[in-house]
Amino acid sequence: MIGFCWVVILLVTFCVLAYQRASLVIWTCSYALLMIFLTKFHGLTTGTAITWIVFFAIFLLLDVGVWRRKFITRPLFNFYRNVMPSMSRTERQAISAGTVTWEGDLFRGNPDWKKLLSHEPAKLTAEEQAFLDGPVETLCRMLNDWDITHNRMDLPPEVWTFIKENGFFGLIIPKQYGGKQFSAYAHSQILIKVGGISITAGSSIAVPNSLGPAELLLHYGTEEQKNHYLPRLARGEDVPCFALTSPVAGSDAGAMTDNGIVCWGEYNGQKTLGIRLNFSKRYITLAPVATVIGLAFKLYDPDQLLGNKEDIGITCALIPRHTPGITIGRRHFPLNTAFQNGPIQGKNVFIPLDWIIGGKEKAGKGWGMLMECLAAGRAISLPASAVAGAKVLSYSAGAYARIRKQFNLPIGKFEGIEEPLARIAAYTFIMDAARTFATASIDCGEKPSVASAIVKYHVTELGRKIACDGMDIFGGKGICLGPKNFIGRGYEAAPIAITVEGANILTRNMIIFGQGVIRCHPYILPEMEAARISDPKEALKAFDKAVIKHVAFGISNFVRSLILGLTSSIIVQAPRGKMKRYYQQATRFCSAFAFISDVCMLIFGGSLKRKESISARLGDILSYLYLLSAVLKHFHDQGENMDDLPVVRYASLFCLFEIQERFDEIIKNFPNRIIAWMLKIIIFPLGERFSKPRDAIGHKVAQLLLAPTETRQRLASGAFLSAVPENVLADIQDALVKTIAADPIEKIIKTAKKDATISGYTAEEQAQSALEKNIISAEDFQLLMQAEEARKKVIAVDDFSNEELAGMIETHKDSLLKMAR
């Protein structure tokens, strides 16, 4: 019995030290003290002598560096070098790009929630707010999306002029060059306000301020290039585009065949060392109207005019539109949207060497430059576009469901409508929280490459889902295109954001975890760097330093996963308040994620990157942990409004359920069934306890959208909501307020009709009868008629005569022919 007690004590000590992630010194001292007490209690018996021998054998081997490296680290090092995956040059550049932010804390398995909540929240300066209230507001009032997308297939000339003259193309350009020098958050807010009205206008503003010439010039351009181009870009004198994608190289940009050959040529009548380019690009936004082209191509130097290297690598250059040999101007037609997008070709285009962005010193460094810029930009433009649509839906869908009646009830009273309404509200909160958190990190000087991939993928995917939910609620009004339809074009365009700046399938299956595990795991990158050191002794020392900590890290996460699973994480220290349990459960899943990631890397080795389904699910777990963190922080930064609690709880439960499901899918599809069974026991010792948000909480969330609540207003904050005649959202708000005000009067009339006190078939006739019999007052009647008029205006759809439709088709045909020319 005494022996059993000592075994329990040793195991408890092991678990406590592993859970607390104690250092090797503390492990050694702790077990040495236990051994001393054991010897004093039992005396020096055969059993205690054997225990001392085991103690010295283990801890001397671990604590004496020479012995540890010889007997433990060296075999591990040899194994590691055999399983370490090979990486192309573009893969290495992509992985090394950007910085690690909160996603790194999640990967460590024990996130510091105080650190998260103390992170500087996103905010606007007075100048940025004034720009939103002034030029951005004015621009929104100028936009007529039906005219843009159907009649013109382009922005009106006066809108292009307004955008250029008011500095919309210079949002990220420093003031010294005439730009606005706005924050990433302000950039995002501008795109949300404009994009909610017109995808065409939003995209036209996004591109010059995203991955393109201005961004590349700011970070890598020569002073001469900056001084020449940046003021012109800020004034709108030059319109930029950036050409990366080609017919044979989409997601795999490294496969591009666009090439440049270093050679001598003639420029401005003089013999000049330059580059002879041949290329074919497509899907290039703003290309048809661009005056300066950013071009990515592979540079070769067969005559070694620049050095002794022939294959120099991917390079970026700036090329004026009218350079001889360039064919540009034709347009693509992406899903009925009118933003300028088209192909560019170049044949024997000669450019001087100093047109390379950054000069010849940056030749061959283009891919790294692009990845560094994309690390931040990917979290801004496309997420903002998706959030814009989500805010419009969160503001309008519930109001429409309250205004629109079927079976003598507002359709929002039906559970079938409550379900998509709850998703719209919760997903909008998640999307807004994620893009706000990411842009705040960028404004703190970070370039969150993994976080930006998470945000881009999940925000655009959630946007696509709620676009479908919105169409289900609006029904026929949503599918009948015309001036009164404000969601149809957004629904059509939803897949566009899915395909660009890293197609979502690629982002999920290969980037989020594939890049995340190397950049965010505390020990993988140091181990990989050690394996590349040419000096064997130095390599072994560096690997030893990392791998011993890695082993301890893995043991700790194994213990933490099991203990937190058994205790349902109630022992985790977390911020106090209504959301405490969500912080605790997030910590539990962080430990489990770190543990299962190490198991997958150990079992699959270098082949893990080819196990795309498992890698994608691991990426999903990391993503939903990031989204859950963003939700908790967003709720905190907004002042923890108790009215928002149903939405925040729904969003948090959704994330936790999705995390649980991805763990379950990994375990069910794990090829080694014995290890799969062990993973199941360790991660879910009490079974899978999370479910989708219950109907009751969904009902509470839906109710918040069916009335002009503060929660609904916060969800839509940043959208164009001004009460002006051309704003459909203002009409919906007006109808909602009037409908709710008229509701008690309608109940009086309904009761009177049931009692046969009044007559009439239509609502107007019954109201008139109630007025005549003094059941309602003249003021009540007037209010009821106003509500009915507002309701009819909102639910109305467009209709056209055959002649009008024929004329529209001809107009559309002319626009397409114009595009083709």
Side-chain angles (χ1 to χ4, degrees):
M1 185 63 184
I2 295 174
F4 175 76
C5 289
W6 275 106
V7 170
V8 172
I9 291 171
L10 291 172
L11 285 174
V12 170
T13 304
F14 177 90
C15 290
V16 170
L17 293 173
Y19 184 91
Q20 297 296 337
R21 297 187 171 171
S23 67
L24 184 57
V25 172
I26 293 176
W27 276 84
T28 305
C29 293
S30 299
Y31 272 97
L33 287 172
L34 280 176
M35 291 302 302
I36 291 170
F37 282 120
L38 175 63
T39 304
K40 187 172 183 180
F41 188 80
H42 278 292
L44 190 58
T45 64
T46 302
T48 55
I50 292 172
T51 307
W52 274 106
I53 292 171
V54 173
F55 168 79
F56 280 116
I58 293 173
F59 284 98
L60 283 176
L61 192 62
L62 290 172
D63 287 320
V64 180
V66 176
W67 293 355
R68 182 178 67 240
R69 286 190 288 272
K70 182 176 180 180
F71 295 106
I72 298 177
T73 308
R74 189 181 299 278
L76 288 174
F77 192 38
N78 293 334
F79 170 77
Y80 186 85
R81 277 185 158 169
N82 288 330
V83 302
M84 186 176 72
S86 60
M87 284 193 292
S88 67
R89 179 167 60 179
T90 54
E91 284 180 307
R92 287 196 300 272
Q93 289 175 331
I95 285 171
S96 62
T99 59
V100 177
T101 55
W102 178 249
E103 65 277 15
D105 293 70
L106 297 173
F107 230 114
R108 289 177 176 86
N110 187 23
D112 182 354
W113 299 112
K114 290 182 180 178
K115 174 184 174 182
L116 173 72
L117 298 183
S118 64
H119 190 284
E120 186 71 21
K123 56 187 177 183
L124 297 170
T125 65
E127 181 184 1
E128 291 167 344
Q129 186 62 60
F131 189 78
L132 279 160
D133 295 338
V136 178
E137 178 78 11
T138 302
L139 175 61
C140 289
R141 297 183 184 206
M142 295 172 67
L143 298 172
N144 181 327
D145 198 54
W146 175 251
D147 180 54
I148 291 168
T149 60
H150 190 80
N151 297 327
R152 297 176 180 273
M153 297 306 299
D154 193 6
L155 296 173
E158 63 271 19
V159 171
W160 277 113
T161 300
F162 184 86
I163 287 172
K164 292 176 182 179
E165 290 181 350
N166 284 273
F168 281 86
F169 285 174
L171 300 180
I172 65 171
I173 296 175
K175 292 181 179 180
Q176 69 185 90
Y177 300 107
K180 300 294 183 184
Q181 200 173 344
F182 282 169
S183 64
Y185 180 62
H187 179 186
S188 178
Q189 289 292 99
I190 292 165
L191 295 181
I192 285 172
K193 191 164 185 175
V194 176
I197 298 295
S198 168
I199 294 169
T200 301
S203 299
S204 301
I205 294 168
V207 169
N209 296 289
S210 184
L211 177 64
E215 180 83 0
L216 291 167
L217 283 169
L218 282 173
H219 294 290
Y220 307 106
T222 64
E223 288 304 312
E224 183 180 357
Q225 290 171 339
K226 291 178 183 178
N227 291 329
H228 175 74
Y229 278 112
L230 290 179
R232 294 170 62 88
L233 292 169
R235 293 192 300 268
E237 188 174 338
D238 270 328
V239 177
C241 70
F242 191 83
L244 175 61
T245 305
S246 68
V248 297
S251 297
D252 181 14
M256 72 172 70
T257 56
D258 310 295
N259 65 83
I261 306 298
V262 179
C263 62
W264 289 98
E266 185 175 310
Y267 179 70
N268 285 343
Q270 295 184 341
K271 184 179 180 182
T272 304
L273 183 60
I275 303 167
R276 184 77 60 187
L277 292 164
N278 286 279
F279 58 89
S280 177
K281 301 291 188 178
R282 63 181 182 179
Y283 311 147
I284 312 305
T285 300
L286 291 187
V289 296
T291 60
V292 59
I293 303 161
L295 182 73
F297 58 93
K298 287 184 175 178
L299 183 62
Y300 299 95
D301 186 11
D303 297 329
Q304 298 187 353
L305 298 174
L306 300 181
N308 57 5
K309 191 176 180 181
E310 181 176 343
D311 183 357
I312 296 176
I314 294 175
T315 301
C316 297
L318 284 180
I319 307 172
R321 177 190 183 97
H322 297 295
T323 302
I326 290 179
T327 301
I328 189 172
R330 293 181 64 83
R331 292 177 65 178
H332 300 309
F333 188 31
L335 291 175
N336 274 331
T337 54
F339 64 87
Q340 297 281 339
N341 183 280
I344 309 175
Q345 291 89 31
K347 186 173 182 180
N348 292 325
V349 179
F350 182 78
I351 65 170
L353 206 61
D354 58 10
W355 286 11
I356 294 174
I357 297 176
K360 69 176 183 179
E361 290 76 15
K362 294 296 183 182
K365 298 180 181 178
W367 187 246
M369 293 157 57
L370 291 172
M371 290 300 99
E372 284 285 342
C373 293
L374 192 60
R378 191 161 43 192
I380 301 174
S381 300
L382 294 173
S385 174
V387 170
K391 285 181 175 290
V392 168
L393 279 175
S394 66
Y395 194 75
S396 62
Y400 185 82
R402 179 64 183 82
I403 298 162
R404 176 72 165 150
K405 290 184 178 181
Q406 293 288 278
F407 308 104
N408 292 319
L409 280 174
I411 63 172
K413 299 292 185 181
F414 294 97
E415 291 183 355
I417 298 296
E418 285 185 346
E419 188 176 343
L421 279 177
R423 283 197 297 266
I424 288 172
Y427 291 0
T428 299
F429 194 94
I430 294 170
M431 295 161 67
D432 200 21
R435 70 95 195 177
T436 301
F437 186 30
T439 53
S441 296
I442 294 169
D443 288 333
C444 288
E446 302 287 353
K447 291 185 176 181
S449 55
V450 177
S452 68
I454 291 171
V455 172
K456 187 269 176 180
Y457 171 78
H458 284 278
V459 170
T460 56
E461 285 292 339
L462 290 174
R464 175 159 62 172
K465 290 176 182 177
I466 64 174
C468 293
D469 284 334
M471 290 297 283
D472 285 345
I473 293 168
F474 280 94
K477 182 173 176 63
I479 65 172
C480 293
L481 292 176
K484 296 183 178 71
N485 188 325
F486 63 97
I487 66 167
R489 293 301 194 202
Y491 175 80
E492 284 182 307
I496 296 174
I498 305 298
T499 64
V500 295
E501 290 189 5
N504 276 13
I505 291 177
L506 169 80
T507 302
R508 177 176 181 257
N509 285 46
M510 300 179 70
I511 294 178
I512 293 175
F513 184 78
Q515 186 173 345
V517 70
I518 296 174
R519 291 304 310 274
C520 301
H521 193 290
Y523 305 112
I524 292 296
L525 188 57
E527 289 168 352
M528 293 181 71
E529 290 173 343
R532 293 194 182 97
I533 297 174
S534 56
D535 186 326
K537 289 184 178 180
E538 292 301 317
L540 187 60
K541 283 183 180 180
F543 186 77
D544 175 73
K545 183 178 179 181
V547 79
I548 293 302
K549 291 180 179 179
H550 191 166
V551 171
F553 178 73
I555 293 171
S556 174
N557 287 316
F558 159 73
V559 171
R560 290 175 61 86
S561 298
L562 183 59
I563 291 175
L564 295 180
L566 288 168
T567 61
S568 192
S569 68
I570 59 173
I571 63 174
V572 173
Q573 292 185 346
R576 296 182 180 275
K578 297 287 187 180
M579 304 306 293
K580 180 177 180 179
R581 288 295 292 145
Y582 299 101
Y583 286 106
Q584 291 176 325
Q585 295 290 6
T587 298
R588 170 198 170 184
F589 279 139
C590 282
S591 295
F593 169 67
F595 172 67
I596 201 171
S597 296
D598 276 336
V599 171
C600 288
M601 287 186 286
L602 180 64
I603 298 300
F604 297 115
S607 66
L608 179 58
K609 74 176 186 178
R610 294 188 294 276
K611 300 286 185 181
E612 292 179 28
S613 295
I614 288 179
S615 177
R617 290 168 183 137
L618 289 168
D620 286 344
I621 296 171
L622 176 60
S623 297
Y624 282 112
L625 285 169
Y626 184 91
L627 296 179
L628 176 56
S629 301
V631 165
L632 295 171
K633 176 168 175 56
H634 200 54
F635 180 58
H636 171 80
D637 290 346
Q638 288 191 331
E640 298 189 355
N641 297 290
M642 290 300 106
D643 291 346
D644 298 349
L645 205 54
V647 178
V648 180
R649 281 180 169 159
Y650 189 111
S652 300
L653 287 169
F654 165 75
C655 290
L656 288 171
F657 175 73
E658 292 296 325
I659 292 167
Q660 174 187 270
E661 290 300 287
R662 297 309 179 275
F663 272 118
D664 184 61
E665 290 168 4
I666 292 170
I667 292 168
K668 285 179 178 176
N669 290 280
F670 209 84
N672 188 315
R673 298 314 301 156
I674 295 175
I675 293 177
W677 176 80
M678 293 173 61
L679 288 171
K680 183 81 170 181
I681 296 299
I682 294 165
I683 297 173
F684 298 113
L686 301 180
E688 297 170 11
R689 311 294 289 273
F690 294 99
S691 62
K692 290 182 179 180
R694 297 180 185 272
D695 294 344
I697 192 172
H699 171 76
K700 291 180 181 179
V701 173
Q703 295 306 304
L704 293 171
L705 295 190
L706 292 171
T709 62
E710 290 296 321
T711 297
R712 173 173 167 267
Q713 197 69 29
R714 277 188 288 272
L715 285 172
S717 176
F720 178 58
L721 306 178
S722 300
V724 293
E726 60 269 24
N727 192 358
V728 178
L729 294 183
D731 293 337
I732 289 177
Q733 177 70 0
D734 176 64
L736 175 63
V737 171
K738 290 176 177 176
T739 298
I740 292 173
D743 192 49
I745 306 168
E746 289 184 347
K747 288 180 180 178
I748 293 172
I749 294 175
K750 187 175 181 181
T751 301
K753 176 65 176 175
K754 187 176 180 181
D755 296 339
T757 308
I758 60 174
S759 60
Y761 297 104
T762 67
E764 290 86 347
E765 290 172 350
Q766 292 171 11
Q768 184 66 44
S769 177
L771 175 64
E772 292 171 355
K773 296 184 178 182
N774 295 321
I775 295 173
I776 61 173
S777 66
E779 291 78 7
D780 290 339
F781 179 81
Q782 186 65 26
L783 179 59
L784 196 63
M785 291 301 99
Q786 289 176 354
E788 185 65 14
E789 183 181 352
R791 182 185 69 83
K792 288 180 177 179
K793 183 178 182 181
V794 166
I795 68 174
V797 297
D798 296 285
D799 54 73
F800 309 93
S801 67
N802 287 329
E803 291 75 19
E804 286 173 324
L805 281 175
M808 287 161 57
I809 292 169
E810 287 301 315
T811 301
H812 209 48
K813 187 188 297 183
D814 290 343
S815 297
L816 291 173
L817 289 171
K818 193 175 180 181
M819 284 170 55
R821 288 195 294 269

